[in-house]
């Protein structure tokens, strides 16, 4: 019986638009996301570098774009957060321990909070027992350390815990650690279908 749910953030609650971000970066001259840029993003997502160092790291790959232009393009990947998902989450708090575990960076989180407004994001954050962002804990999924961080700090039993994530390599890693998983297909499935799809039997609530 599931008593705990660990949710991802992007493309589970917050819609993302990677195509818009890629187009915006391409318009600045950055067309190919190579291995060096992938490593740079990982450093940002695990708190090894700050926003300025990340943006300056991208700058040589652009056509002399300003740091603000790069930041704005980077944030084009942040979409909307439908209210009905928050309302669904608020109902879940009555029956489950809820955690948020997200690979994200401070630039995107600032953008989300700015767009959503304090009332909305506060209501969202209050649904969770704890919130863990990769840039704050120093680990990101699918690293086992990211999941073990929650297990060790909150007396979580993987076999009674569901991990909801849109990336299969993340749910595969969680499953290997003994968690129940739902690899949510963004654009085809919605987190509010949790009971409709029998991911959790509603009788358990």
């Amino acid at each position: 019986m599931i008593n705990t749910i660990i949710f991802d953030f992007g493309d589970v609650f917050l819609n993302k638009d990677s195509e818009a971000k890629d187009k915006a970066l391409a318009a600045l001259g950055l067309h190919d996301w190579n291995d060096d840029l992938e490593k740079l993003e990982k450093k940002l997502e695990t708190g090894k570098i700050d926003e300025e160092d990340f943006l300056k790291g991208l700058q040589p790959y652009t056509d002399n774009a300003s740091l603000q232009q790069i930041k704005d393009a980077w944030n084009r990947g942040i979409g909307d957060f439908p209210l009905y998902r928050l309302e669904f989450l608020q109902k879940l708090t009555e029956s489950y321990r809820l955690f948020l575990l997200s690979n994200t960076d401070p630039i995107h989180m600032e953008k989300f909070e700015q767009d959503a407004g304090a009332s909305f994001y506060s209501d969202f954050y209050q649904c969770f027992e704890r919130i863990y962002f990769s840039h704050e804990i120093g680990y990101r999924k699918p690293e086992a350390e990211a999941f073990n961080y929650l297990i060790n700090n909150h007396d979580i039993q993987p076999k009674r815990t569901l991990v909801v994530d849109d990336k299969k390599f993340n749910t595969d890693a969680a499953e290997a650690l003994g968690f129940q998983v739902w690899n949510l297909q963004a654009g085809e499935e919605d987190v509010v279908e949790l009971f409709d799809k029998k991911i959790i039997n509603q009788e358990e609530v």
Side-chain angles (χ1 to χ4, degrees):
M1 179 175 171
I2 300 295
N3 61 14
T4 304
I5 309 175
I6 300 173
F7 286 105
D8 185 28
F9 184 35
D11 275 337
V12 173
F13 293 108
L14 177 73
N15 290 323
K16 295 172 67 177
D17 193 341
S18 296
E19 185 177 345
K21 180 187 72 176
D22 292 345
K23 286 182 178 179
L25 290 172
L28 300 179
L30 200 168
H31 298 280
D32 298 312
W33 198 258
N34 60 34
D35 288 342
D36 288 339
L37 294 178
E38 183 66 30
K39 291 175 183 176
L40 190 70
E41 182 180 2
K42 182 176 181 179
K43 287 182 179 180
L44 181 68
E45 286 194 346
T46 53
K48 304 294 190 300
I49 58 172
D50 61 16
E51 171 185 320
E52 184 176 4
D53 287 339
F54 174 71
L55 296 175
K56 285 182 176 178
L58 295 186
Q59 201 168 31
Y61 295 88
T62 70
D63 297 328
N64 298 314
S66 69
L67 297 187
Q68 187 61 52
Q69 286 177 312
I70 299 169
K71 181 177 180 178
D72 290 343
W74 184 250
N75 278 334
R76 288 293 300 276
I78 300 300
D80 65 318
F81 186 142
L83 176 61
Y84 70 85
R85 289 181 185 157
L86 173 59
E87 292 171 340
F88 174 75
L89 187 66
Q90 288 171 326
K91 291 178 182 177
L92 284 182
T93 64
E94 300 169 6
S95 306
Y96 298 95
R97 298 177 69 193
L98 303 180
F99 295 88
L100 191 71
L101 178 62
S102 174
N103 289 352
T104 190
D105 63 70
I107 303 174
H108 281 164
M109 292 314 301
E110 178 188 48
K111 173 65 172 173
F112 158 66
E113 292 182 357
Q114 184 181 63
D115 288 352
S119 177
F120 187 95
Y121 75 70
S122 294
D123 286 348
F124 173 60
Y125 292 158
Q126 287 171 7
C127 291
F128 300 98
E129 188 171 324
R130 281 295 298 272
I131 292 170
Y132 291 106
F133 297 128
S134 58
H135 67 272
E136 294 176 342
I137 65 174
Y139 304 111
R140 72 173 188 172
K141 300 171 290 184
E143 296 168 1
E145 290 88 349
F147 297 104
N148 286 331
Y149 197 92
L150 273 72
I151 293 172
N152 296 333
N153 282 286
H154 298 284
D155 191 28
I156 289 173
Q157 297 176 285
K159 65 182 179 181
R160 300 190 65 188
T161 301
L162 176 70
V163 172
V164 180
D165 199 296
D166 66 301
K167 300 290 192 300
K168 189 174 186 301
F169 50 79
N170 290 337
T171 53
D172 284 349
E175 193 168 30
L177 292 171
F179 288 99
Q180 304 295 313
V181 299
W182 178 19
N183 176 214
L184 186 151
Q185 303 299 303
E188 299 176 16
E189 301 175 314
D190 198 295
V191 68
V192 300
E193 299 172 345
L194 185 66
F195 297 117
D196 296 339
K197 289 183 170 291
K198 307 298 184 185
I199 306 300
I200 297 178
N201 293 323
Q202 199 148 13
E203 292 75 20
E204 294 183 6
V205 178

